[in-house]
Amino acid sequence: MAKVMKKHATFADLQEYCAELIANLPEDMDESEHKAVGAILPLVLTAMMKFHDNFAVQQSALRAILRFVDEFKDLLVREKAILYCVNALRTFSTEQELVHLACSTLNSFADNNDQNVITLTQLDTASVVLAVMGRHLNHEGVQQDGCALLNFLCVAALENERVILQRGLQLIVSSMRVNKSQPSIIEQGCMLLGNLSFSQPEKQTLVGKHGGASVLCQALKQHIDHREVVEVALEALVHLCAAHEANATAVVLNERVVPLTVQAMQRYPEDLKDTHCVQQYGSMLIAALAKINRTLHGRIIAEGGLRALIDSVIGLQTELKSTQEDPADVIFVKFQDRVHLVKDLSIGDADSILGDANVVSHIVSICSKYIDSKSIVDSCMSILGYLAGVEDSRIEELLMKKEVPTLAVSTINRFFQDMEIVSPSIILLQNLSVNWAVELGQQRVVEVASRVVTQYATELSLVAETLSLFANLAYADETHAAIINNAVPTKAFSVLRNLSSSSHDGSSSESNQTLVVEKTFWFFANLVSGESAEQQKCIEQLMSLEVVPFSIQLLRKHNDSAVISEHILSCLWSFFSQEPESTKHIFVDDLVTVLQRHPEVEEVQDWALEVLYRLVRTSDSALNRLRQLTNLDALLNRPVELFP
């Protein structure tokens, strides 16, 4: 055949006939036949070049190239097959079947071959494909292969992406609407819209403006039975809506994408073999939409988004448990990411979690099983800490029943050098300690928290949370022995002294300093308010540190804060009677200043009066100083009986 084609190279009909024969050769060729085809294909390409305006030659040649492109790709590329295919597409753009053949052939060249895509880009193939897609909007093959080829081009080069964005967006959306019942076209169209809108606001806006959000949601709704369509539609929606308020709002409020996503996630369970699955993209979409604003967050939860996300994590955990092999790293990372998404969405909506008590059990189980995973532990502790702070006895009882405090202590010990893990664990314990101080005191919480104060003495926000934990624990007499044995008062006072002697820049730091002062004196006040033997030991330990004069200094510094003044005064009420005589007359002036600054704060007024009452009955100097003040009744806005 090769000899015939060479001898009669000027006969178009003969060239067409030979090309057609090549295209229809059987699959099971022997080695000699295969070698012969390798010799004939360059002649077919020569015919394409020579008879570039002959429809029959071009169509038969395209069939032959498509038949052998996978086996002889390098040969065909060397012989400029890509150029001839693009030229055929340009020349016969009105011929549906030839256009389909050309697009299919070019797809084969582009598949997993960057160099061929570069060649296609240099030939401005994107513009040619858009033109023929516009001519044959109702042809399934042209639309499917055209979109597929545009996907290759879009991913490979920005110039192709620009061409498609500028000239093809409306065409792609129209194609998906016209061919909405064709899953093969819809799949490629969804993929293309996702590639075009990938994480850049300008591109997201452009795709959304041309109706991309609408057709993607329509694809989810109409092709729920086609898993591949559902996967690419969800992925495209993630790209389109991530951090883009207009698109996210449109799909949630106008297209009701959340129920569609929930339905898809319920229909297609976890698949460990597929890292890009419905569960993964559905979870990512729900989380991305919820991050936009609180309005969407509430709507997403109300429509079952959080519940679907939690079920997805539970399903993935179940699959991980059942597999006989260690999960691949990529699978475990997916699991970590999904637990983190649950954290992002659940904090702020306890009811959605508590609708099923098993959710908490699963979160505890996940944290326990994957205790070595920083990401998973961080997310789980943040969720559990949030739940513990909701002030719902059902939650607290459930958390205590599941031995969550023990888990938190173990977590702190394991990740002691990692503040990102320690902090949510301390917050969890602090929230539980409000009503469960005695129980927490029995679980080595005091010991581990005292180590945290020492290790993170300069991390003021964490110190403040830890001191809040101690303040709650100090309400229970049963915890005082552990508090004293671990030298917690000494450590807390050391933090205060370091604050006063060091400089911290910024309003945030100043706010944290104030918070540490407040929490420290709240802790001291709870610790010394009583007459038990343990409380007397606490008072003696603090007195030995010269807490009283230092407290008076801080009262002067923070007398504009009613909360700090209240806590310092409640501590000094227990301390001052054991302090040397020389300081007490000075303290009277400070008390009067506090009274003047907070006339409407009943707690501050009461503590100040309690301290004054005790002062004037135990100290002549305090009594004399107080007598020098005039019009005391007017100062306090009520009658007082302080003088003996």
Side-chain angles (χ1 to χ4, degrees):
M1 188 184 296
K3 291 180 180 180
V4 171
M5 291 184 74
K6 287 180 181 178
K7 184 175 181 180
H8 302 286
T10 58
F11 291 91
D13 291 346
L14 180 62
Q15 300 297 318
E16 174 205 342
Y17 178 73
C18 292
E20 197 68 32
L21 285 176
I22 293 293
N24 290 294
L25 284 173
E27 295 290 335
D28 54 341
M29 294 188 301
D30 59 30
E31 185 176 348
S32 61
E33 290 173 324
H34 193 269
K35 186 177 180 180
V37 170
I40 294 170
L41 284 174
L43 300 175
V44 172
L45 295 174
T46 300
M48 286 189 78
M49 176 187 67
K50 185 171 291 187
F51 301 105
H52 58 85
D53 57 353
N54 187 304
F55 169 75
V57 171
Q58 297 297 312
Q59 182 160 273
S60 295
L62 284 169
R63 288 199 185 101
I65 295 170
L66 184 59
R67 164 70 175 81
F68 290 102
V69 65
D70 293 331
E71 299 170 66
F72 293 95
K73 185 173 290 186
D74 292 341
L75 170 65
L76 291 167
V77 169
R78 286 198 305 271
E79 298 293 334
K80 300 183 180 180
I82 294 176
L83 170 62
Y84 301 145
C85 291
V86 173
N87 286 342
L89 195 58
R90 279 196 177 98
T91 304
F92 297 99
S93 61
T94 60
E95 301 292 340
Q96 283 189 345
E97 292 307 319
L98 186 145
V99 166
H100 183 203
L101 275 172
C103 288
S104 297
T105 306
L106 291 172
N107 263 323
S108 297
F109 280 115
D111 192 9
N112 294 319
N113 194 308
D114 293 341
Q115 185 56 50
N116 288 349
V117 174
I118 292 173
T119 302
L120 287 165
T121 301
Q122 293 169 343
L123 295 170
D124 193 20
T125 307
S127 297
V128 181
V129 172
L130 288 171
V132 296
M133 286 180 66
R135 282 180 176 270
H136 308 286
L137 202 57
N138 294 295
H139 191 283
E140 180 181 355
V142 172
Q143 297 304 308
Q144 177 185 342
D145 288 319
C147 271
L149 184 53
L150 290 175
N151 270 308
F152 285 125
L153 295 169
C154 174
V155 172
L158 286 175
E159 53 195 287
N160 293 326
E161 184 183 85
R162 283 193 292 270
V163 169
I164 301 168
L165 283 170
Q166 292 170 5
R167 307 181 199 172
L169 266 181
Q170 194 60 59
L171 171 64
I172 296 160
V173 171
S174 297
S175 174
M176 293 177 70
R177 285 176 174 154
V178 170
N179 301 281
K180 60 184 179 182
S181 63
Q182 303 296 331
S184 57
I185 297 175
I186 298 302
E187 180 182 352
Q188 290 297 332
C190 289
M191 194 182 303
L192 184 53
L193 290 176
N195 287 333
L196 290 171
S197 57
F198 185 64
S199 301
Q200 288 190 17
E202 300 82 5
K203 294 191 291 184
Q204 290 172 306
T205 299
L206 202 55
V207 174
K209 182 180 178 181
H210 283 81
S214 176
V215 292
L216 289 172
C217 292
Q218 182 64 36
L220 268 183
K221 184 176 182 180
Q222 188 154 352
H223 296 279
I224 191 68
D225 294 329
H226 295 87
R227 181 176 186 137
E228 294 79 6
V229 173
V230 172
E231 286 179 3
V232 294
L234 289 172
E235 181 184 12
L237 283 164
V238 172
H239 293 170
L240 182 65
C241 299
H244 195 286
E245 186 167 1
N247 288 346
T249 302
V251 299
V252 173
L253 302 184
N254 301 337
E255 306 295 340
R256 301 202 69 237
V257 74
V258 176
L260 294 174
T261 304
V262 171
Q263 181 187 5
M265 293 175 72
Q266 290 171 343
R267 188 178 186 91
Y268 298 105
E270 195 64 50
D271 183 359
L272 286 183
K273 296 178 182 179
D274 183 5
T275 57
H276 304 288
C277 62
V278 171
Q279 295 293 319
Q280 182 72 356
Y281 289 128
S283 300
M284 291 170 64
L285 177 59
I286 289 170
L289 295 172
K291 288 180 181 178
I292 298 297
N293 58 49
R294 296 305 301 176
T295 300
L296 293 188
H297 185 275
R299 178 72 172 262
I300 289 163
I301 289 174
E303 293 181 344
L306 176 57
R307 179 71 253 182
L309 197 50
I310 291 171
D311 287 343
S312 181
V313 169
I314 294 171
L316 184 51
Q317 184 197 19
T318 302
E319 289 295 313
L320 286 170
K321 282 182 178 179
S322 64
T323 183
Q324 299 300 313
E325 302 174 359
D326 290 335
D329 289 343
V330 67
I331 300 294
F332 190 67
V333 169
K334 180 169 71 171
F335 182 60
Q336 290 177 317
D337 291 345
R338 211 169 299 170
V339 173
H340 187 74
L341 295 178
V342 171
K343 181 197 80 170
D344 287 347
L345 194 57
S346 62
I347 293 180
D349 192 81
D351 290 339
S352 294
I353 298 180
L354 295 173
D356 182 353
N358 287 329
V359 171
V360 175
S361 300
H362 279 293
I363 293 171
V364 174
S365 172
I366 289 169
C367 191
S368 300
K369 181 174 176 61
Y370 303 104
I371 191 68
D372 291 325
S373 168
K374 173 183 171 180
S375 174
I376 289 178
V377 170
D378 177 24
S379 297
C380 289
M381 281 296 157
S382 296
I383 296 170
L384 295 172
Y386 162 70
L387 292 175
V390 173
E391 298 184 1
D392 187 313
S393 60
R394 298 172 302 155
I395 308 176
E396 294 178 2
E397 289 172 6
L398 183 59
L399 294 175
M400 294 302 294
K401 181 179 178 182
K402 295 296 179 181
E403 299 184 349
V404 168
T406 302
L407 180 61
V409 169
S410 299
T411 299
I412 294 172
N413 285 328
R414 185 176 292 264
F415 295 97
F416 191 69
Q417 302 298 326
D418 194 328
M419 181 179 165
E420 291 183 9
I421 302 293
V422 172
S423 183
S425 302
I426 286 291
I427 291 172
L428 167 60
L429 293 171
Q430 188 266 321
N431 287 336
L432 282 175
S433 66
V434 175
N435 296 315
W436 299 84
V438 175
E439 290 78 3
L440 264 62
Q442 299 168 354
Q443 300 187 43
R444 301 184 67 186
V445 170
V446 173
E447 177 186 339
V448 72
S450 68
R451 291 173 56 219
V452 170
V453 170
T454 302
Q455 174 73 16
Y456 295 99
T458 59
E459 301 292 345
L460 301 186
S461 60
L462 178 55
V463 169
E465 291 290 350
T466 310
L467 289 169
S468 294
L469 168 61
F470 282 127
N472 290 332
L473 293 175
Y475 270 121
D477 292 345
E478 294 87 342
T479 66
H480 289 182
I483 289 173
I484 294 172
N485 293 337
N486 285 280
V488 178
T490 303
K491 294 176 180 178
F493 186 63
S494 175
V495 171
L496 280 183
R497 280 209 175 279
N498 290 336
L499 276 181
S500 64
S501 61
S502 60
S503 60
H504 296 266
D505 298 327
S507 58
S508 176
S509 177
E510 184 178 343
S511 172
N512 284 332
Q513 288 184 65
T514 302
L515 197 60
V516 168
V517 173
E518 174 192 331
K519 302 302 183 184
T520 302
F521 278 99
W522 179 30
F523 165 50
F524 287 167
N526 292 344
L527 197 58
V528 301
S529 59
E531 298 181 359
S532 69
E534 295 294 345
Q535 286 164 326
Q536 288 305 309
K537 289 181 182 179
C538 294
I539 292 175
E540 291 170 6
Q541 188 177 102
L542 290 170
M543 292 290 289
S544 68
L545 300 171
E546 298 187 348
V547 168
V548 172
F550 189 74
S551 301
I552 294 173
Q553 293 177 25
L554 289 177
L555 182 64
R556 291 170 186 156
K557 181 178 179 180
H558 297 282
N559 58 26
D560 58 335
S561 169
V563 174
I564 292 179
S565 297
E566 176 190 347
H567 292 320
I568 293 178
L569 289 170
S570 65
C571 289
L572 291 172
W573 180 79
S574 298
F575 291 146
F576 82 95
S577 61
Q578 301 179 40
E579 187 64 10
E581 179 78 16
S582 60
T583 65
K584 293 180 179 176
H585 71 280
I586 302 174
F587 187 39
V588 170
D589 294 290
D590 297 312
L591 288 170
V592 171
T593 300
V594 170
L595 286 165
Q596 290 173 325
R597 283 186 176 258
H598 306 288
E600 304 299 328
V601 183
E602 185 176 347
E603 292 82 359
V604 174
Q605 295 281 309
D606 288 345
W607 277 116
L609 289 174
E610 287 285 348
V611 174
L612 277 172
Y613 184 82
R614 182 168 287 189
L615 274 174
V616 299
R617 279 162 175 74
T618 57
S619 168
D620 290 339
S621 60
L623 178 60
N624 292 332
R625 179 61 181 160
L626 189 60
R627 279 176 170 157
Q628 295 174 13
L629 300 173
T630 59
N631 200 18
L632 196 59
D633 284 356
L635 168 68
L636 301 174
N637 294 316
R638 55 180 168 176
V640 292
E641 297 178 359
L642 292 172
F643 299 102

